[in-house]
Amino acid sequence: MYSDKFIDNQEAITQVNLQIMFDLSYDKFEDFKKEEVILALINGADPRNLDISTLPKGFVL
């Protein structure tokens, strides 16, 4: 989902469905996708396009 550096509405819904399907807390799901988010940011993604509430801990733009 993060390879194109943009999370659209359908992808955001899919993420919520995955979180529910695997019975993950919000924090656990955020931790699960952290590496992909960081990779997208390193490759030039705008954080506003990634459907994230905060930057991953320790990541500085």
Side-chain angles (χ1 to χ4, degrees), residues 1-7 11 15 29-30 33-41 43 45 49-52:
M1 288 185 203
Y2 291 93
S3 63
D4 66 356
K5 300 179 230 153
F6 184 83
I7 300 296
E11 290 170 327
Q15 286 188 24
F29 191 70
E30 289 295 304
K33 66 182 189 178
K34 180 180 178 179
E35 286 184 39
E36 292 298 318
V37 170
I38 290 172
L39 187 58
L41 290 168
N43 287 318
N49 294 331
L50 296 181
D51 191 42
I52 57 176

